[in-house]
């Protein structure tokens, strides 16, 4: 069984990393988005057309970063906010 985290838990972890470890929030977002793009590529290596649904807040920001990384790899990415 996969374990999922509530957005409040992730927000708390981000706050700890940012405040206690001095990791800029932008770096956290960049790392999360890049990791998400890597998961997409690993799961769907032949995917050329990708749709990214990005909501508000930091998770949406992660989605935009993932979309950028996928586009840089030559995939056609559509983002819907």
């Amino acid at each position: 069984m996969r374990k999922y985290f509530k957005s409040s838990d992730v927000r708390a972890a981000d706050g700890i990393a940012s405040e206690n470890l001095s990791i800029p929030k932008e770096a956290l977002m960049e790392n999360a988005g890049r990791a998400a793009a890597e998961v997409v590529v690993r799961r769907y290596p032949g995917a050329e057309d990708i749709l990214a649904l990005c909501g508000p807040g930091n998770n949406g920001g992660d989605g935009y970063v993932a979309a950028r990384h996928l586009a840089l790899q030559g995939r056609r990415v559509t983002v819907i906010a």
Side-chain angles (χ1 to χ4, degrees):
M1 176 186 249
R2 292 184 185 188
K3 184 173 183 176
Y4 295 94
F5 298 94
K6 293 187 266 182
S7 60
S8 59
D9 296 332
V10 175
R11 195 171 13 263
D14 281 353
I16 291 168
S18 183
E19 293 168 21
N20 296 352
L21 302 175
S22 300
I23 300 173
K25 291 181 181 183
E26 296 82 7
L28 295 172
M29 187 176 293
E30 183 66 28
N31 290 339
R34 185 179 59 249
E38 289 171 1
V39 168
V40 170
V41 169
R42 193 167 46 250
R43 252 193 196 170
Y44 307 102
E48 295 178 9
D49 294 302
I50 297 171
L51 173 63
L53 303 174
C54 300
N58 290 343
N59 286 340
D62 297 345
Y64 282 101
V65 172
R68 176 172 43 85
H69 282 280
L70 292 164
L72 288 172
Q73 295 177 19
R75 289 168 169 79
R76 288 181 299 273
V77 182
T78 301
V79 176
I80 296 178

